[in-house]
Amino acid sequence: MKTESRGRDRLPEERPPVPIAKRAGWFALNVLVPVSDIAQVGRYTGLPASTLYRHYRFSLWIWWGLMWLTALPAIGLLLMLVTAGGSVSPTGWLRIGSVLLVMGLLSATGFVQALGVNYRLWQLDAQRVSASEQGGFQAFLRETRWCRRVLTAGLRR
């Protein structure tokens, strides 16, 4: 009668080699991303305040638009879902819920980015950029109506 071997006399399996594309991706993330951040800092440090202001206003409008162009349809879809109530199937709830989640995350991303741009614009307006000049983020939150400023893109101060 044959005795069955349960893997005890098997040699340990070798790990498959890591693909070159995966290594290249890791290298790109760990080297090129910090380099691009440094390049961005280098690009903006020599600009005059008027150019920075114009750049930040343009950036603010893009993020503000993303925030509202995803939030308003999400709110409308949520209201339609509430009024439909029980006539929506469970898979419909799942589909609509995932769409609402994605739209909510996009809207939140736009809000946070618009908040950061508003902070930079406030620093330019107040001409305070360091902590010793009270130009930090906490000072911005204390001294401004930051939520209104983000939601209205700075049109109402």
Side-chain angles (χ1 to χ4, degrees):
M1 201 180 253
K2 270 187 175 177
T3 58
E4 287 186 29
S5 161
R6 295 190 182 185
R8 284 178 277 185
D9 43 325
R10 237 191 266 168
L11 293 174
E13 296 180 20
E14 292 184 22
R15 291 179 139 183
V18 178
I20 300 228
K22 189 173 183 179
R23 275 194 213 157
W26 181 87
F27 180 77
L29 283 176
N30 286 304
V31 172
L32 296 179
V33 171
V35 168
S36 69
D37 288 344
I38 292 170
Q40 184 176 4
V41 168
R43 262 195 317 255
Y44 293 124
T45 53
L47 295 177
S50 61
T51 307
L52 278 174
Y53 191 81
R54 188 172 59 244
H55 168 75
Y56 284 132
R57 288 300 296 176
F58 180 73
S59 182
L60 175 65
W61 282 105
I62 289 175
W63 290 116
W64 185 79
L66 175 72
M67 177 183 67
W68 284 112
L69 288 175
T70 55
L72 291 176
I75 292 168
L77 187 61
L78 185 62
L79 290 174
M80 287 190 292
L81 184 63
V82 168
T83 58
S87 63
V88 179
S89 69
T91 58
W93 281 96
L94 182 64
R95 289 178 182 170
I96 293 170
S98 61
V99 168
L100 285 174
L101 178 69
V102 169
M103 291 176 82
L105 290 173
L106 285 172
S107 181
T109 300
F111 181 85
V112 169
Q113 292 293 329
L115 177 65
V117 172
N118 269 306
Y119 166 58
R120 295 297 181 199
L121 285 169
W122 173 78
Q123 283 183 322
L124 284 173
D125 287 339
Q127 296 182 351
R128 300 186 292 181
V129 292
S130 67
S132 63
E133 299 171 327
Q134 294 298 314
F137 190 68
Q138 293 298 323
F140 166 72
L141 294 177
R142 263 192 323 272
E143 295 178 18
T144 62
R145 295 179 177 174
W146 59 271
C147 191
R148 174 188 284 185
R149 194 170 168 146
V150 170
L151 293 176
T152 62
L155 296 175
R156 297 185 67 190
R157 293 182 187 209

